[in-house]
Amino acid sequence: MNFLLETLRLGLWNLRLHLLRSTLTSLGIILGVAAVILMVSIGEGNKQTALRDIKQLGANNIIVRSRKPPESSSFGSQRRSFLVSYGLLDADLERLAAFVPEAEKIIPLKTVGSEVSYKHKRITSQTYGTLPALKGVLNLGVEKGGRYLSEQDLELRRPVAVIGHGVAEQLFPLEAPVGRELRIDQSVFTVIGVLEPVGLSGGAGGALVGRDLNQDVHIPLSTAEMQFGDVVVRRVSGSFSGEEIRFSELYITVASTDEVIDVAGQIQKIIDVGHSEDKDVALIVPWELLENVKRTTFAMNLLLTSIAAISLLVGGIGIMNIMLASVIERTREIGIRRALGATRKHIISQFLVETGTLSAVGGLLGILLGVTLSIAVADVLPWLMSQPSIQNIIETDISFETQITGWSIIASFLVASLTGLVFGIWPARKASRLDPVVALASE
């Protein structure tokens, strides 16, 4: 025990004697550990954002969506007005209900209207007729003071609407939306609720649904059928385009994620019966995308961590170089210690204590720096990108999220400490093999 304490004391005293050199030597380890923690936190933050967005759609859900076929687009470019019919029909809904017993719920959405307005304010419509069960299927929340659609609204075909958080901010910036009347085209609807903000306006979730769910307006499906029918007319620059769509989307819920992929295959076969040639219906499986995101982000985290780990390697090489120089510088000291009875084991222990201390302290400082940067970058980067000088170069609205993981802190510290010891072995062995007579004679 006395031997270990004395060796530790000598090692620490020597590092303190050359404090600036010790600090610069451990700088590579500090930056390496910080880089690993920061890269992993960025990768994990992006992963969690993507997963959260996709989970918002429901991992147990399968989305069947009407899609305008390419021929319709090309046809529309040749005429100033046209009416094209495509997408999901009542027959599709009936077949799915009959031949997919695993489906617990089948919730239709019907696109209606071309414009939503309140007084002088107007926005492009994202209005959907749907069923009250959509709230549970999409995990939607309603802000305090309002409510979602009910079965009575559906049965009585009430002219009521639940608006998204973004619609409320645009049309009702200074007043409470609930109880107000807005127009969807020429029809008047009473606002009965405002949806809580949905985090699908960007990222993986936004790309998946193809729109910002915060801009949605939900009305009873029966009301949508009665007041709007199946034709949606959109006017642009004096011309108009008409689309006849029975259902724009179907949300199909199954009991377990284990069944999602198999049920999706069944649904695809059923849909192909009536749409194999038109290609006007697409299938979206959030669970499948969820698994793809996990695999992709794991590979990306591995790549980022590998790149950051190079800094640890550089830090280890720096420690080895400094300790080799220290052996030459302290040759006479080593000779004196050997002459006074120190063994090779004692010399090796002293040098390993110094390299181990350098790497361990560097690892701790690196953890502190990495955690600080991970916390700060989520706030600093968006602020930096919002500066006018940056916006003049590139217009971007960036949101950033980081998530510090315990395993990255532990792993980077252990690797840093191990790196210092491994790269300190050669200088320590070289010092222990010096001939005491030659060492004492050196200047």
Side-chain angles (χ1 to χ4, degrees), residues 121-432:
K121 299 173 184 175
R122 303 174 186 273
I123 61 175
T124 302
S125 173
Q126 277 190 188
T127 305
Y128 299 91
T130 188
L131 305 180
L134 182 68
K135 178 176 181 289
V137 169
L138 283 184
N139 304 312
L140 299 174
V142 179
E143 293 184 357
K144 189 176 180 181
R147 66 175 179 86
Y148 196 68
L149 304 174
S150 68
E151 293 295 336
Q152 283 191 329
D153 296 330
L154 196 67
E155 292 172 6
L156 300 177
R157 300 180 181 180
R158 288 172 176 165
V160 294
V162 179
I163 62 177
H165 186 77
V167 176
E169 288 184 333
Q170 288 178 271
L171 297 183
F172 306 96
L174 301 176
E175 53 188 313
V178 177
R180 306 290 178 181
E181 292 184 342
L182 54 73
R183 287 183 177 272
I184 301 173
D185 288 352
Q186 301 305 313
S187 301
V188 178
F189 286 78
T190 302
V191 178
I192 59 171
V194 179
L195 297 176
E196 293 177 351
V198 180
L200 290 176
S201 57
L208 181 61
V209 299
R211 66 179 188 273
D212 183 354
L213 297 185
N214 293 302
Q215 299 296 325
D216 283 1
V217 176
H218 297 173
I219 65 175
L221 180 62
S222 56
T223 307
E225 293 172 337
M226 179 181 69
Q227 296 203 23
F228 297 95
D230 293 341
V231 178
V232 178
V233 178
R234 303 193 185 280
R235 299 174 178 83
V236 180
S237 302
S239 64
F240 75 88
S241 64
E243 298 176 357
E244 185 176 5
I245 310 172
R246 181 68 181 119
F247 299 114
S248 56
E249 291 178 346
L250 297 177
Y251 279 84
I252 302 173
T253 303
V254 298
S256 169
T257 53
D258 296 333
E259 303 176 4
V260 168
I261 302 301
D262 291 337
V263 173
Q266 296 178 36
I267 292 172
Q268 186 66 66
K269 292 177 182 177
I270 294 170
I271 292 297
D272 286 344
V273 171
H275 302 270
S276 58
E277 294 183 2
D278 297 333
K279 303 294 182 184
D280 60 347
V281 176
L283 220 67
I284 300 171
V285 186
W287 175 253
E288 197 172 42
L289 281 148
L290 200 64
E291 294 301 302
N292 289 338
V293 166
K294 287 181 180 178
R295 286 193 293 268
T296 303
T297 51
F298 174 77
M300 184 59 66
N301 280 348
L302 191 61
L303 176 62
L304 291 174
T305 305
S306 299
I307 294 172
I310 295 174
S311 299
L312 286 175
L313 179 63
V314 173
I317 294 173
I319 288 177
M320 183 176 66
N321 288 338
I322 293 298
M323 296 311 294
L324 285 172
S326 180
V327 170
I328 298 173
E329 179 185 304
R330 296 159 61 186
T331 300
R332 188 173 180 80
E333 175 196 332
I334 295 169
I336 293 172
R337 292 197 64 197
R338 290 298 305 276
L340 292 175
T343 64
R344 288 184 176 181
K345 179 182 176 181
H346 296 155
I347 302 300
I348 290 176
S349 299
Q350 181 182 348
F351 274 80
L352 288 183
V353 164
E354 293 180 19
T355 56
T357 303
L358 280 175
S359 55
V361 172
L364 291 173
L365 292 175
I367 290 172
L368 182 61
L369 178 61
V371 170
T372 303
L373 290 175
S374 298
I375 295 172
V377 73
D379 297 322
V380 173
L381 188 59
W383 173 81
L384 185 64
M385 297 302 292
S386 66
Q387 296 305 302
S389 57
I390 301 295
Q391 289 290 324
N392 290 336
I393 302 173
I394 177 173
E395 293 185 9
T396 179
D397 182 16
I398 186 172
S399 60
F400 209 75
E401 183 175 336
T402 57
Q403 182 167 330
I404 301 169
T405 58
W407 70 264
S408 66
I409 293 175
I410 296 172
S412 59
F413 178 75
L414 291 177
V415 171
S417 300
L418 185 62
T419 299
L421 290 174
V422 169
F423 281 91
I425 289 175
W426 186 20
R429 285 175 59 85
K430 184 175 180 180
S432 70

Side-chain angles (χ1 to χ4, degrees), residues 24-37:
L24 295 176
T25 302
S26 61
L27 194 58
I29 295 292
I30 295 172
L31 296 178
V33 171
V36 170
I37 293 173

